[in-house]
Amino acid sequence: MARLPRLTIPGQPHYVVQRGNNLQAIFVDGQDYASMKDLLREMGRRFGVEIHAFILLPNQLHLLLTPQTAQSLPQFMQSVGRTYVRTFNNRHGRSGTLWEGRYRATVLEAQAWLLPAMVVLEHQAVAHGLTGRAVDYGWSSARHNAGAQVDGMVRLHPAYWRLGDTPFAREAAYATMLDRGASAEMQEVVLGAALKGWVLGSEGFIEGLKSGTERRLQRQKAGRPARAQGEKAE
């Protein structure tokens, strides 16, 4: 089956995944991680992309972001990807591709899905066995969103602000969510949507997006297609 064209909706949050080719390492040492983070910060400003959450894993990166225009996300990812590969190859004396094809992404309804998606994203370090607590992993936004340190690259989404009336209340509420973690089912739903390109949201949200694109936004329901009028049952 042909891949769906990527969907970018300005002003809506997107969950983005970019993986190493054959899941090979894309970060070898601390300088690699720092280079990628610098690129995300620079290209986010350049192309109008707000980053709400991020995690850099040894063989992949996950981003939760909102693009300002229809071209913001593809331009951002293209510039980050090309620049990082050039830097990585020069540092490590290699050539050729680093990425497993194009990045994967899904649009999600902020009110219902932004906070669960943040928890799934920042909990990936735990899911991959890199740390016992998400907030202890240094190459993610977890420490910022849980109030342990300040990261100027991260832009809080309005859905996060609704967690409390003060910064302390919001950070404490989110830290509790993060420590609770994400269930296997929730991880499967969020990551599956990102990798396959299906929108995460209510029927009303998805219907509202359909007017702006001819692309399919949901998985087709299982079962046989309905018979055409006049067609006889077997």
Side-chain angles (χ1 to χ4, degrees):
M1 181 182 295
R3 286 180 177 175
L4 290 170
R6 281 187 296 245
L7 179 68
T8 302
I9 306 295
Q12 298 291 348
H14 296 60
Y15 193 116
V16 179
V17 179
Q18 179 73 78
R19 303 192 295 194
N21 191 34
N22 294 321
L23 290 179
Q24 70 183 23
I26 60 174
F27 305 113
V28 174
D29 54 29
Q31 187 170 336
D32 288 340
Y33 285 98
S35 294
M36 174 57 79
K37 192 174 175 187
D38 287 343
L39 273 174
L40 294 173
R41 181 185 298 108
E42 176 187 350
M43 298 307 177
R45 288 195 299 257
R46 181 179 302 180
F47 294 109
V49 170
E50 291 190 346
I51 298 174
H52 311 302
F54 72 91
I55 191 165
L56 310 182
L57 302 170
N59 60 8
Q60 56 194 286
L61 63 99
H62 295 221
L63 306 168
L64 186 59
L65 50 79
T66 297
Q68 293 179 3
T69 73
Q71 293 304 312
S72 292
L73 178 54
Q75 289 175 342
F76 167 78
M77 291 300 295
Q78 182 181 73
S79 295
V80 167
R82 287 180 175 177
T83 305
Y84 182 76
V85 169
R86 184 166 60 249
T87 301
F88 184 90
N89 284 353
N90 287 341
R91 282 200 68 225
H92 298 293
R94 69 182 298 278
S95 62
T97 185
L98 183 63
W99 307 119
E100 183 187 66
R102 63 183 190 169
Y103 67 88
R104 311 293 184 88
T106 186
V107 177
L108 54 90
E109 184 176 11
Q111 183 174 353
W113 284 99
L114 186 122
L115 292 174
M118 278 180 61
V119 172
V120 167
L121 184 152
E122 293 177 349
H123 209 255
Q124 287 305 294
V126 178
H128 285 259
L130 300 173
T131 183
R133 295 180 68 225
V135 75
D136 292 334
Y137 188 68
W139 297 107
S140 84
S141 53
R143 294 182 61 78
H144 176 90
N145 288 324
Q149 71 179 37
V150 175
D151 189 327
M153 183 173 77
V154 179
R155 296 290 178 264
L156 301 178
H157 190 278
Y160 177 95
W161 285 85
R162 289 194 288 270
L163 284 172
D165 294 330
T166 67
F168 177 79
R170 291 188 287 269
E171 292 160 359
Y174 184 73
T176 298
M177 293 175 60
L178 193 58
D179 278 341
R180 190 180 304 127
S183 67
E185 180 182 6
M186 182 61 70
Q187 290 192 63
E188 182 178 357
V189 169
V190 173
L191 297 179
L195 294 174
K196 296 174 184 177
W198 304 121
V199 172
L200 277 177
S202 64
E203 289 296 329
F205 177 76
I206 294 172
E207 284 298 320
L209 296 182
K210 286 181 179 179
S211 61
T213 179
E214 296 181 356
R215 176 194 185 276
R216 281 193 297 124
L217 304 180
Q218 295 172 285
R219 183 193 304 274
Q220 291 179 327
K221 294 182 179 180
R224 296 181 58 184
R227 293 193 302 272
Q229 186 174 2
E231 181 182 348
K232 293 182 179 180
E234 295 180 356

